[in-house]
Coordinates of all heavy atoms in Angstrom, one line a residue:
M138 N -8.5 15.7 -13.1 CA -9.2 15.5 -11.8 C -9.0 16.8 -11.0 O -7.8 17.2 -10.7 CB -8.6 14.4 -11.0 CG -9.4 13.1 -11.3 SD -8.8 11.7 -10.3 CE -7.1 11.5 -11.1
P139 N -10.0 17.4 -10.4 CA -9.8 18.6 -9.5 C -9.3 18.1 -8.1 O -9.5 16.9 -7.7 CB -11.2 19.2 -9.4 CG -12.1 18.0 -9.6 CD -11.3 17.0 -10.5
D140 N -8.7 19.1 -7.4 CA -8.4 18.7 -6.0 C -9.6 18.4 -5.2 O -10.7 18.9 -5.4 CB -7.7 19.9 -5.3 CG -6.4 20.3 -5.9 OD1 -5.9 19.4 -6.7 OD2 -5.7 21.2 -5.5
L141 N -9.5 17.4 -4.2 CA -10.6 17.0 -3.4 C -10.3 17.4 -2.0 O -9.2 17.5 -1.5 CB -10.6 15.5 -3.5 CG -11.3 14.7 -4.6 CD1 -11.2 13.3 -4.3 CD2 -12.8 15.2 -4.7
E142 N -11.4 17.8 -1.4 CA -11.3 18.1 0.0 C -11.8 16.9 0.8 O -13.0 16.6 0.6 CB -12.1 19.5 0.3 CG -11.4 20.7 -0.2 CD -12.0 21.9 0.4 OE1 -13.1 21.9 0.9 OE2 -11.2 23.0 0.3
I143 N -11.0 16.4 1.7 CA -11.5 15.3 2.4 C -11.4 15.6 4.0 O -10.5 16.3 4.4 CB -10.5 14.1 2.2 CG1 -10.7 13.7 0.7 CG2 -10.9 12.9 3.0 CD1 -9.8 12.6 0.3
K144 N -12.3 15.2 4.7 CA -12.4 15.3 6.1 C -11.7 14.2 6.8 O -12.1 13.1 6.6 CB -13.9 15.5 6.6 CG -14.0 16.2 8.0 CD -15.5 16.3 8.2 CE -15.8 17.1 9.4 NZ -17.2 17.1 9.7
C145 N -10.7 14.5 7.6 CA -10.0 13.5 8.2 C -10.9 12.7 9.3 O -11.6 13.4 10.0 CB -8.8 14.1 9.0 SG -7.8 13.0 10.0
L146 N -10.8 11.5 9.3 CA -11.7 10.6 10.1 C -11.2 10.8 11.6 O -11.9 10.5 12.5 CB -11.7 9.2 9.7 CG -12.4 8.7 8.5 CD1 -12.3 7.3 8.3 CD2 -13.8 9.1 8.6
H147 N -9.9 11.2 11.7 CA -9.5 11.2 13.1 C -9.5 12.6 13.7 O -10.2 12.7 14.8 CB -7.9 10.7 13.0 CG -7.4 10.7 14.4 ND1 -7.6 9.6 15.2 CD2 -6.5 11.5 15.1 CE1 -6.9 9.8 16.4 NE2 -6.3 10.9 16.3
C148 N -9.0 13.6 13.1 CA -9.1 14.9 13.8 C -10.1 15.8 13.2 O -10.3 17.0 13.7 CB -7.7 15.6 13.6 SG -7.3 16.0 11.9
K149 N -10.9 15.3 12.2 CA -12.0 16.1 11.6 C -11.6 17.4 10.9 O -12.5 18.1 10.7 CB -13.1 16.4 12.7 CG -13.5 15.2 13.6 CD -14.4 14.2 12.8 CE -14.7 13.1 13.8 NZ -14.9 11.9 13.1
Q150 N -10.4 17.5 10.6 CA -9.9 18.6 9.8 C -10.1 18.3 8.3 O -9.8 17.2 7.9 CB -8.4 18.9 10.1 CG -8.1 19.2 11.6 CD -7.9 20.7 11.7 OE1 -7.9 21.5 10.9 NE2 -7.5 21.0 12.9
V151 N -10.4 19.3 7.6 CA -10.5 19.1 6.2 C -9.1 19.3 5.6 O -8.4 20.3 5.9 CB -11.5 20.1 5.6 CG1 -11.4 20.0 4.1 CG2 -12.9 19.8 6.0
F152 N -8.7 18.3 4.7 CA -7.4 18.6 4.1 C -7.6 18.4 2.6 O -8.7 17.9 2.1 CB -6.3 17.6 4.6 CG -6.7 16.1 4.4 CD1 -6.1 15.4 3.2 CD2 -7.6 15.5 5.1 CE1 -6.4 14.2 3.0 CE2 -7.9 14.1 4.9 CZ -7.4 13.5 3.8
V153 N -6.6 18.9 1.8 CA -6.9 18.8 0.4 C -6.0 17.6 -0.2 O -4.9 17.4 0.1 CB -6.2 20.1 -0.3 CG1 -6.4 20.0 -1.9 CG2 -7.0 21.3 0.2
F154 N -6.7 16.8 -0.9 CA -6.1 15.7 -1.5 C -5.9 16.2 -3.1 O -6.7 16.2 -3.8 CB -7.1 14.6 -1.6 CG -6.6 13.3 -2.1 CD1 -5.4 12.9 -2.0 CD2 -7.5 12.4 -2.8 CE1 -4.9 11.6 -2.5 CE2 -7.1 11.2 -3.3 CZ -5.8 10.8 -3.2
T155 N -4.6 16.5 -3.3 CA -4.3 17.2 -4.5 C -4.4 16.4 -5.7 O -4.4 15.1 -5.6 CB -2.9 17.9 -4.4 OG1 -2.0 16.8 -4.3 CG2 -2.7 18.8 -3.2
E156 N -4.5 17.0 -6.8 CA -4.6 16.3 -8.1 C -3.4 15.4 -8.3 O -3.4 14.2 -8.7 CB -4.6 17.4 -9.3 CG -5.2 16.9 -10.5 CD -5.2 17.9 -11.6 OE1 -5.4 19.1 -11.2 OE2 -5.0 17.6 -12.7
K157 N -2.2 15.9 -7.8 CA -1.0 15.2 -8.0 C -1.0 13.9 -7.1 O -0.6 12.8 -7.5 CB 0.2 16.0 -7.6 CG 1.2 16.1 -8.7 CD 2.4 16.9 -8.2 CE 3.4 17.2 -9.3 NZ 4.1 18.5 -9.2
E158 N -1.5 14.0 -5.9 CA -1.6 12.9 -5.0 C -2.6 11.9 -5.5 O -2.3 10.7 -5.5 CB -2.0 13.3 -3.6 CG -1.0 14.0 -2.8 CD -1.5 14.5 -1.4 OE1 -2.4 15.2 -1.5 OE2 -0.9 14.1 -0.5
Q159 N -3.6 12.4 -6.1 CA -4.7 11.5 -6.7 C -4.1 10.7 -7.8 O -4.4 9.4 -7.9 CB -5.8 12.3 -7.2 CG -6.6 13.0 -6.2 CD -7.7 13.8 -6.8 OE1 -8.6 13.4 -7.6 NE2 -7.8 15.1 -6.3
E160 N -3.2 11.3 -8.5 CA -2.5 10.5 -9.6 C -1.8 9.4 -9.1 O -1.8 8.2 -9.5 CB -1.7 11.5 -10.4 CG -2.1 11.7 -11.8 CD -1.2 12.7 -12.5 OE1 0.0 12.2 -12.7 OE2 -1.5 13.8 -12.7
V161 N -1.1 9.6 -8.1 CA -0.1 8.7 -7.4 C -0.9 7.5 -6.9 O -0.7 6.4 -7.1 CB 0.8 9.3 -6.3 CG1 1.6 8.2 -5.6 CG2 1.7 10.3 -6.9
F162 N -2.0 7.9 -6.1 CA -2.9 6.9 -5.5 C -3.6 6.1 -6.6 O -3.7 4.9 -6.5 CB -4.0 7.6 -4.6 CG -3.5 7.8 -3.2 CD1 -2.4 8.8 -3.0 CD2 -4.0 7.1 -2.2 CE1 -2.0 8.9 -1.7 CE2 -3.6 7.3 -0.9 CZ -2.6 8.2 -0.6
Y163 N -4.0 6.8 -7.6 CA -4.8 6.1 -8.7 C -3.9 5.0 -9.3 O -4.2 3.9 -9.6 CB -5.3 7.1 -9.7 CG -6.1 6.5 -10.7 CD1 -7.4 6.0 -10.5 CD2 -5.5 6.4 -12.1 CE1 -8.1 5.4 -11.5 CE2 -6.4 5.8 -13.1 CZ -7.5 5.3 -12.8 OH -8.3 4.8 -13.8
R164 N -2.6 5.5 -9.6 CA -1.7 4.6 -10.3 C -1.4 3.4 -9.4 O -1.1 2.3 -10.0 CB -0.4 5.5 -10.6 CG 0.2 5.0 -11.9 CD 1.4 5.8 -12.2 NE 1.3 7.3 -12.3 CZ 2.1 8.2 -11.8 NH1 3.1 7.8 -11.1 NH2 1.7 9.5 -11.9
N165 N -1.3 3.6 -8.1 CA -0.9 2.4 -7.3 C -2.2 1.7 -6.8 O -2.2 0.7 -6.1 CB -0.2 2.9 -6.1 CG 1.2 3.3 -6.4 OD1 2.0 2.6 -6.6 ND2 1.4 4.6 -6.3
N166 N -3.3 2.1 -7.4 CA -4.6 1.4 -7.0 C -4.9 1.5 -5.5 O -5.4 0.6 -4.9 CB -4.4 -0.1 -7.4 CG -5.4 -0.4 -8.4 OD1 -6.5 0.1 -8.6 ND2 -5.0 -1.5 -9.2
W167 N -4.5 2.6 -4.9 CA -4.8 2.8 -3.5 C -6.2 3.4 -3.3 O -6.7 4.2 -4.2 CB -3.8 3.7 -2.8 CG -2.4 3.2 -2.7 CD1 -2.1 1.8 -2.8 CD2 -1.1 3.8 -2.7 NE1 -0.7 1.6 -2.7 CE2 -0.1 2.9 -2.7 CE3 -0.9 5.2 -2.6 CZ2 1.2 3.2 -2.6 CZ3 0.5 5.5 -2.6 CH2 1.6 4.5 -2.5
H168 N -6.8 3.2 -2.2 CA -8.0 4.0 -1.8 C -7.7 5.4 -1.5 O -6.5 5.7 -1.0 CB -8.8 3.3 -0.7 CG -9.3 2.0 -1.1 ND1 -10.3 1.8 -2.0 CD2 -8.9 0.8 -0.6 CE1 -10.6 0.6 -2.1 NE2 -9.8 -0.2 -1.3
Q169 N -8.6 6.3 -1.7 CA -8.3 7.7 -1.3 C -8.1 7.8 0.2 O -8.6 7.0 0.9 CB -9.3 8.7 -1.8 CG -10.6 8.6 -1.1 CD -11.5 9.6 -1.6 OE1 -11.7 9.9 -2.9 NE2 -12.3 10.3 -0.8
P170 N -7.2 8.6 0.6 CA -6.8 8.7 2.0 C -8.1 9.1 2.8 O -8.9 9.9 2.5 CB -5.7 9.7 2.1 CG -5.8 10.6 0.9 CD -6.4 9.6 -0.1
Q171 N -8.1 8.5 4.1 CA -9.2 8.9 5.0 C -8.7 9.8 6.1 O -9.4 10.3 7.0 CB -9.8 7.7 5.6 CG -10.5 6.8 4.4 CD -11.2 5.5 5.0 OE1 -10.4 4.8 5.7 NE2 -12.4 5.4 4.9
Y172 N -7.4 9.9 6.3 CA -6.8 10.7 7.3 C -5.9 11.8 6.6 O -5.3 11.6 5.6 CB -5.9 9.8 8.2 CG -6.7 8.8 8.9 CD1 -6.7 7.5 8.2 CD2 -7.5 9.0 10.0 CE1 -7.5 6.5 8.9 CE2 -8.3 8.0 10.6 CZ -8.2 6.7 10.0 OH -9.0 5.8 10.6
C173 N -5.8 12.9 7.4 CA -5.0 14.0 6.9 C -3.5 13.6 7.0 O -3.1 12.6 7.8 CB -5.2 15.3 7.7 SG -4.8 15.1 9.4
P174 N -2.6 14.3 6.2 CA -1.3 13.9 6.3 C -0.6 13.9 7.7 O 0.2 12.9 8.0 CB -0.6 15.1 5.4 CG -1.6 15.6 4.6 CD -3.0 15.4 5.4
K175 N -1.1 14.8 8.6 CA -0.6 14.8 10.0 C -0.9 13.4 10.6 O 0.0 12.8 11.3 CB -1.2 15.9 10.8 CG -0.2 16.9 11.2 CD -0.8 17.9 12.2 CE -0.5 19.3 11.8 NZ -1.5 20.3 12.5
C176 N -2.1 13.1 10.5 CA -2.6 11.8 11.3 C -2.0 10.7 10.6 O -1.7 9.7 11.3 CB -4.0 11.7 11.3 SG -4.9 13.0 12.3
R177 N -1.8 10.7 9.3 CA -1.2 9.7 8.6 C 0.2 9.3 9.0 O 0.6 8.2 9.2 CB -1.2 9.9 7.1 CG -2.3 9.1 6.3 CD -2.4 9.3 4.9 NE -2.9 10.7 4.5 CZ -2.7 11.3 3.5 NH1 -1.9 10.9 2.5 NH2 -3.3 12.4 3.2
S178 N 1.0 10.5 9.2 CA 2.3 10.3 9.7 C 2.4 9.8 11.1 O 3.3 9.0 11.5 CB 3.2 11.5 9.4 OG 2.6 12.6 10.2
K179 N 1.4 10.3 11.9 CA 1.3 9.7 13.3 C 1.0 8.2 13.2 O 1.7 7.5 14.0 CB 0.2 10.4 14.0 CG 0.7 11.5 14.9 CD -0.5 12.0 15.8 CE -0.7 13.5 15.7 NZ -2.0 14.0 16.1
K180 N 0.1 7.8 12.4 CA -0.2 6.4 12.3 C 1.1 5.6 11.8 O 1.4 4.5 12.3 CB -1.3 6.3 11.2 CG -2.7 6.0 11.8 CD -3.7 5.8 10.8 CE -3.6 4.5 10.1 NZ -4.7 4.2 9.2
L181 N 1.7 6.2 10.9 CA 3.0 5.5 10.5 C 4.0 5.3 11.5 O 4.5 4.2 11.6 CB 3.7 6.3 9.3 CG 3.0 6.2 7.9 CD1 3.7 7.0 6.9 CD2 3.0 4.6 7.5
M182 N 4.1 6.4 12.4 CA 5.1 6.3 13.5 C 4.6 5.2 14.5 O 5.5 4.5 15.0 CB 5.1 7.6 14.1 CG 6.3 8.5 13.6 SD 6.1 10.3 13.7 CE 5.9 10.4 15.5
K183 N 3.3 5.1 14.7 CA 2.9 4.1 15.7 C 3.1 2.7 15.0 O 3.5 1.8 15.8 CB 1.4 4.4 15.8 CG 0.9 4.3 17.3 CD -0.6 4.1 17.4 CE -1.3 5.3 17.7 NZ -2.7 5.1 17.5
S184 N 2.9 2.6 13.8 CA 3.0 1.2 13.2 C 4.5 0.7 13.2 O 4.8 -0.4 12.9 CB 2.5 1.2 11.8 OG 3.2 1.9 11.0
E185 N 5.5 1.6 13.5 CA 6.8 1.2 13.5 C 7.1 0.1 14.6 O 8.1 -0.6 14.6 CB 7.8 2.4 13.7 CG 8.4 2.7 12.3 CD 9.3 4.0 12.5 OE1 10.3 3.9 13.1 OE2 9.0 5.0 11.9
N186 N 6.3 0.2 15.7 CA 6.4 -0.8 16.7 C 5.9 -2.1 16.4 O 6.3 -3.1 17.0 CB 5.8 -0.2 18.0 CG 6.5 1.0 18.5 OD1 7.7 1.2 18.4 ND2 5.8 2.0 19.2
A187 N 5.1 -2.1 15.4 CA 4.5 -3.4 15.0 C 5.5 -4.1 14.2 O 6.4 -3.5 13.7 CB 3.2 -3.1 14.2
P188 N 5.3 -5.3 14.0 CA 6.2 -6.1 13.2 C 6.2 -5.6 11.8 O 5.2 -5.2 11.2 CB 5.5 -7.6 13.2 CG 4.4 -7.6 14.1 CD 4.2 -6.2 14.7
K189 N 7.5 -5.4 11.4 CA 7.6 -4.7 10.0 C 7.0 -5.6 8.9 O 7.3 -6.8 8.7 CB 9.1 -4.6 9.9 CG 9.6 -3.3 10.2 CD 10.4 -2.6 9.1 CE 10.4 -1.1 9.1 NZ 11.2 -0.5 10.2
K190 N 6.2 -4.8 8.1 CA 5.7 -5.5 6.9 C 6.0 -4.5 5.7 O 6.0 -3.3 5.9 CB 4.2 -5.6 7.1 CG 3.7 -6.7 8.1 CD 3.4 -7.9 7.4 CE 2.9 -9.0 8.4 NZ 2.8 -10.3 7.9
F191 N 6.3 -5.1 4.7 CA 6.6 -4.2 3.5 C 5.5 -4.5 2.5 O 5.1 -5.6 2.2 CB 7.9 -4.6 2.9 CG 9.1 -4.2 3.8 CD1 9.5 -5.2 4.8 CD2 9.7 -3.0 3.9 CE1 10.5 -5.0 5.8 CE2 10.7 -2.8 4.8 CZ 11.1 -3.7 5.7
E192 N 5.0 -3.4 1.9 CA 4.0 -3.5 0.9 C 4.7 -3.8 -0.4 O 5.6 -3.1 -0.9 CB 3.2 -2.2 0.8 CG 1.9 -2.4 0.1 CD 1.1 -1.3 0.2 OE1 1.2 -0.2 -0.7 OE2 0.2 -1.1 1.1
I193 N 4.2 -4.7 -1.1 CA 4.7 -5.1 -2.4 C 3.6 -5.1 -3.4 O 2.4 -5.2 -3.1 CB 5.5 -6.4 -2.5 CG1 4.5 -7.6 -1.9 CG2 6.7 -6.4 -1.6 CD1 4.3 -8.7 -2.9
I194 N 4.0 -5.0 -4.7 CA 3.1 -5.2 -5.7 C 3.5 -6.3 -6.5 O 4.7 -6.4 -7.0 CB 2.9 -3.9 -6.7 CG1 2.3 -2.8 -5.8 CG2 2.1 -4.2 -7.9 CD1 2.2 -1.5 -6.5
C195 N 2.6 -7.4 -6.6 CA 3.1 -8.6 -7.2 C 3.4 -8.4 -8.6 O 2.7 -7.8 -9.4 CB 1.8 -9.6 -7.0 SG 2.2 -11.2 -7.8
D196 N 4.6 -9.0 -9.0 CA 5.1 -8.9 -10.4 C 4.2 -9.8 -11.3 O 4.2 -9.6 -12.5 CB 6.5 -9.4 -10.5 CG 7.4 -8.2 -10.2 OD1 7.0 -7.1 -10.2 OD2 8.6 -8.6 -9.9
H197 N 3.5 -10.7 -10.6 CA 2.8 -11.7 -11.5 C 1.4 -11.2 -11.8 O 0.9 -11.2 -12.9 CB 2.8 -13.0 -10.8 CG 2.3 -14.1 -11.6 ND1 3.2 -14.7 -12.6 CD2 1.2 -14.8 -11.6 CE1 2.4 -15.7 -13.1 NE2 1.3 -15.8 -12.6
C198 N 0.6 -10.9 -10.6 CA -0.8 -10.5 -10.9 C -1.1 -9.0 -10.7 O -2.2 -8.5 -10.9 CB -1.7 -11.4 -10.0 SG -1.5 -11.1 -8.2
G199 N 0.0 -8.3 -10.1 CA -0.2 -6.9 -9.9 C -1.0 -6.5 -8.7 O -1.3 -5.4 -8.5
K200 N -1.3 -7.5 -7.8 CA -2.0 -7.2 -6.5 C -1.0 -6.7 -5.6 O 0.2 -7.1 -5.5 CB -2.7 -8.5 -6.1 CG -4.1 -8.6 -6.7 CD -4.8 -9.7 -5.8 CE -6.0 -10.2 -6.6 NZ -6.1 -11.7 -6.4
K201 N -1.6 -6.0 -4.6 CA -0.8 -5.6 -3.5 C -0.8 -6.6 -2.4 O -1.8 -7.3 -2.2 CB -1.3 -4.2 -2.9 CG -0.9 -3.0 -3.7 CD -1.2 -1.7 -2.9 CE -2.6 -1.8 -2.3 NZ -2.9 -0.5 -1.5
D202 N 0.3 -6.8 -1.7 CA 0.4 -7.7 -0.6 C 1.4 -7.1 0.4 O 2.2 -6.3 0.1 CB 0.8 -9.0 -1.1 CG 0.3 -10.1 -0.2 OD1 -0.4 -9.7 1.0 OD2 0.5 -11.3 -0.4
L203 N 1.3 -7.7 1.6 CA 2.4 -7.3 2.6 C 3.3 -8.5 2.8 O 2.8 -9.7 3.0 CB 1.6 -7.0 3.9 CG 0.8 -5.7 3.9 CD1 0.0 -5.5 5.2 CD2 1.7 -4.5 3.7
V204 N 4.5 -8.2 2.7 CA 5.5 -9.3 3.0 C 6.4 -9.0 4.2 O 6.5 -7.8 4.5 CB 6.4 -9.6 1.9 CG1 5.5 -10.1 0.7 CG2 7.1 -8.4 1.5
P205 N 6.8 -9.9 5.0 CA 7.6 -9.7 6.2 C 9.1 -9.4 5.9 O 9.9 -9.3 6.9 CB 7.5 -11.0 7.0 CG 7.2 -12.0 6.0 CD 6.5 -11.4 4.8
F206 N 9.4 -9.3 4.7 CA 10.9 -8.9 4.4 C 10.9 -7.8 3.3 O 10.0 -7.5 2.7 CB 11.5 -10.1 3.7 CG 10.7 -10.7 2.5 CD1 11.0 -10.3 1.2 CD2 9.8 -11.7 2.6 CE1 10.2 -10.7 0.1 CE2 9.1 -12.2 1.5 CZ 9.4 -11.6 0.3
Q207 N 12.0 -7.2 3.3 CA 12.3 -6.0 2.4 C 12.5 -6.6 1.0 O 13.5 -7.3 0.8 CB 13.4 -5.3 2.9 CG 13.9 -4.2 1.9 CD 13.7 -2.8 2.4 OE1 14.2 -2.4 3.5 NE2 13.0 -2.0 1.6
P208 N 11.6 -6.3 0.2 CA 11.8 -6.9 -1.2 C 13.1 -6.2 -1.8 O 13.4 -5.0 -1.6 CB 10.6 -6.4 -2.0 CG 9.8 -5.5 -1.1 CD 10.5 -5.4 0.2
K209 N 13.8 -7.0 -2.6 CA 15.1 -6.5 -3.1 C 14.8 -5.9 -4.5 O 13.8 -6.4 -5.3 CB 16.0 -7.7 -3.4 CG 16.6 -8.3 -2.1 CD 18.0 -8.9 -2.3 CE 18.7 -9.2 -1.1 NZ 18.1 -10.5 -0.4
V210 N 15.5 -4.8 -4.7 CA 15.2 -4.1 -6.0 C 15.8 -5.0 -7.1 O 16.8 -5.6 -7.0 CB 16.0 -2.8 -6.0 CG1 15.7 -2.0 -7.2 CG2 15.5 -1.9 -4.7
G211 N 14.9 -5.0 -8.1 CA 15.4 -5.8 -9.3 C 15.1 -7.2 -9.3 O 15.2 -8.0 -10.3
R212 N 14.5 -7.7 -8.1 CA 14.1 -9.1 -8.0 C 12.6 -9.2 -8.0 O 11.9 -8.3 -7.5 CB 14.6 -9.6 -6.7 CG 15.8 -10.7 -6.9 CD 16.1 -11.3 -5.6 NE 15.2 -12.4 -5.3 CZ 15.5 -13.2 -4.2 NH1 16.5 -13.0 -3.4 NH2 14.7 -14.2 -3.9
E213 N 12.2 -10.3 -8.6 CA 10.7 -10.5 -8.7 C 10.1 -10.6 -7.3 O 10.6 -11.3 -6.4 CB 10.5 -11.8 -9.4 CG 9.1 -12.0 -10.0 CD 8.9 -13.2 -10.7 OE1 9.5 -14.3 -10.4 OE2 8.3 -13.2 -11.8
V214 N 9.0 -9.9 -7.2 CA 8.2 -10.1 -5.9 C 6.9 -10.6 -6.2 O 6.2 -10.2 -7.2 CB 8.1 -8.7 -5.1 CG1 9.3 -8.4 -4.3 CG2 7.7 -7.6 -6.0
L215 N 6.4 -11.5 -5.4 CA 5.2 -12.2 -5.5 C 4.3 -12.1 -4.4 O 4.8 -12.0 -3.3 CB 5.4 -13.7 -5.8 CG 6.2 -14.0 -7.2 CD1 6.3 -15.6 -7.3 CD2 5.5 -13.5 -8.4
C216 N 3.0 -11.9 -4.6 CA 2.1 -11.9 -3.5 C 2.0 -13.3 -2.9 O 2.4 -14.3 -3.5 CB 0.7 -11.4 -4.0 SG -0.2 -12.6 -5.1
R217 N 1.3 -13.4 -1.8 CA 1.2 -14.7 -1.2 C 0.6 -15.8 -2.1 O 1.1 -16.9 -2.2 CB 0.4 -14.6 0.1 CG 0.9 -15.5 1.2 CD 0.3 -15.1 2.6 NE 0.5 -13.7 2.9 CZ -0.3 -12.9 3.5 NH1 -1.4 -13.4 3.9 NH2 0.1 -11.7 3.8
N218 N -0.4 -15.4 -2.8 CA -1.2 -16.4 -3.6 C -0.2 -16.9 -4.8 O -0.2 -18.1 -5.0 CB -2.4 -15.6 -4.3 CG -3.5 -15.6 -3.4 OD1 -3.6 -16.3 -2.4 ND2 -4.5 -14.8 -3.7
C219 N 0.4 -16.0 -5.5 CA 1.3 -16.4 -6.6 C 2.5 -17.2 -6.0 O 2.9 -18.2 -6.6 CB 1.8 -15.1 -7.4 SG 0.4 -14.3 -8.2
H220 N 2.9 -16.8 -4.8 CA 4.0 -17.5 -4.1 C 3.6 -19.0 -3.9 O 4.4 -19.9 -4.2 CB 4.5 -16.8 -2.9 CG 5.7 -17.3 -2.4 ND1 7.0 -17.0 -2.9 CD2 5.9 -18.2 -1.3 CE1 7.8 -17.6 -2.2 NE2 7.3 -18.4 -1.2
E221 N 2.5 -19.0 -3.3 CA 2.0 -20.4 -3.0 C 1.8 -21.2 -4.3 O 2.1 -22.4 -4.4 CB 0.6 -20.3 -2.3 CG 0.7 -19.7 -0.9 CD 1.2 -20.7 0.1 OE1 0.6 -21.8 0.2 OE2 2.2 -20.3 0.8
A222 N 1.2 -20.6 -5.4 CA 0.9 -21.2 -6.6 C 2.3 -21.8 -7.2 O 2.3 -22.8 -7.7 CB 0.1 -20.3 -7.5
L223 N 3.3 -20.9 -7.1 CA 4.5 -21.2 -7.7 C 5.1 -22.3 -7.0 O 5.6 -23.3 -7.5 CB 5.4 -20.0 -7.7 CG 6.7 -20.0 -8.5 CD1 6.4 -19.7 -10.0 CD2 7.7 -19.1 -7.9
R224 N 5.0 -22.3 -5.7 CA 5.6 -23.4 -4.9 C 4.8 -24.8 -5.1 O 5.5 -25.7 -5.2 CB 5.4 -23.1 -3.3 CG 6.8 -22.8 -2.8 CD 6.9 -22.7 -1.3 NE 5.7 -23.2 -0.5 CZ 5.4 -22.7 0.6 NH1 6.3 -22.0 1.2 NH2 4.4 -23.2 1.3
A225 N 3.6 -24.7 -5.3 CA 2.7 -25.9 -5.5 C 3.1 -26.4 -6.9 O 3.2 -27.6 -7.0 CB 1.3 -25.5 -5.6
K226 N 3.4 -25.5 -7.9 CA 3.8 -25.9 -9.1 C 5.1 -26.6 -9.2 O 5.3 -27.7 -9.7 CB 3.8 -24.7 -10.2 CG 3.3 -25.1 -11.5 CD 3.0 -23.9 -12.3 CE 4.2 -23.1 -12.7 NZ 3.8 -21.9 -13.4
T227 N 6.1 -26.0 -8.6 CA 7.4 -26.6 -8.6 C 7.5 -27.9 -7.8 O 8.4 -28.7 -8.1 CB 8.5 -25.6 -8.1 OG1 8.0 -25.1 -6.7 CG2 8.7 -24.4 -8.9
R228 N 6.6 -28.0 -6.9 CA 6.6 -29.3 -6.1 C 6.3 -30.5 -7.0 O 6.7 -31.6 -6.8 CB 5.6 -29.2 -5.0 CG 5.9 -30.1 -3.9 CD 4.8 -29.9 -2.8 NE 4.7 -28.7 -2.2 CZ 3.6 -28.1 -1.7 NH1 2.4 -28.8 -1.7 NH2 3.7 -26.9 -1.1
Y229 N 5.5 -30.3 -8.0 CA 5.0 -31.4 -8.8 C 5.8 -31.5 -10.2 O 5.5 -32.3 -11.0 CB 3.5 -31.1 -9.1 CG 2.7 -31.3 -7.9 CD1 1.9 -30.2 -7.5 CD2 2.7 -32.5 -7.2 CE1 1.2 -30.3 -6.3 CE2 1.9 -32.6 -5.9 CZ 1.2 -31.4 -5.6 OH 0.4 -31.5 -4.4
L230 N 6.9 -30.7 -10.2 CA 7.6 -30.7 -11.4 C 8.6 -32.0 -11.4 O 9.1 -32.3 -10.3 CB 8.5 -29.5 -11.6 CG 7.9 -28.3 -12.4 CD1 8.8 -27.2 -12.4 CD2 7.4 -28.8 -13.7
Ligands
ZN174 ZN1 -6.1 14.2 10.9
ZN175 ZN1 0.3 -12.3 -7.4

């Protein structure tokens, strides 16, 4: 994949979405960035005031989800759907 040039939706500056970054994004199933790294870090800083959410990748179905707690390393993390499904299952055991 060649480097991509993307125009930031916020500051309208063109930035380079490098091949390396693309790989990371592709591997994580993320959409390509719409904001330049500068605006992205600004956005991140802003969101620190919001309730903390942690992005997880479900061990069960591989989907991304946001959870209100810091997932522990080495412990199984589940998305909301799988968590609910698991709860419903154990309820009827
Ligand atoms: Zn920008
Ligand atoms: Zn899941």
Side-chain angles (χ1 to χ4, degrees):
M138 270 186 288
D140 288 356
L141 279 178
E142 287 196 342
I143 299 176
K144 201 175 186 185
C145 175
L146 285 183
H147 185 74
C148 65
K149 313 287 181 210
Q150 298 257 5
V151 172
F152 64 97
V153 178
F154 186 35
T155 64
E156 202 179 328
K157 238 187 188 150
E158 283 178 306
Q159 288 175 50
E160 246 180 64
V161 176
F162 272 67
Y163 182 72
R164 215 178 299 137
N165 287 293
N166 247 331
W167 295 335
H168 292 293
Q169 71 179 42
Q171 295 178 304
Y172 300 96
C173 67
K175 244 192 228 163
C176 292
R177 256 181 281 158
S178 62
K179 258 190 231 158
K180 256 178 77 178
L181 281 179
M182 266 154 61
K183 229 200 253 166
S184 70
E185 253 179 70
N186 294 326
K189 264 230 152 76
K190 291 262 185 187
F191 296 90
E192 196 173 89
I193 55 125
I194 295 179
C195 178
D196 277 342
H197 192 76
C198 66
K200 270 197 202 137
K201 280 194 314 180
D202 201 2
L203 294 173
V204 293
F206 55 87
Q207 169 116 54
K209 289 210 172 73
V210 180
R212 250 186 82 177
E213 195 178 40
V214 278
L215 296 176
C216 68
R217 217 166 302 146
N218 280 345
C219 293
H220 190 76
E221 296 279 311
L223 193 80
R224 251 196 4 204
K226 214 163 72 182
T227 51
R228 203 181 296 153
Y229 295 117
L230 272 179

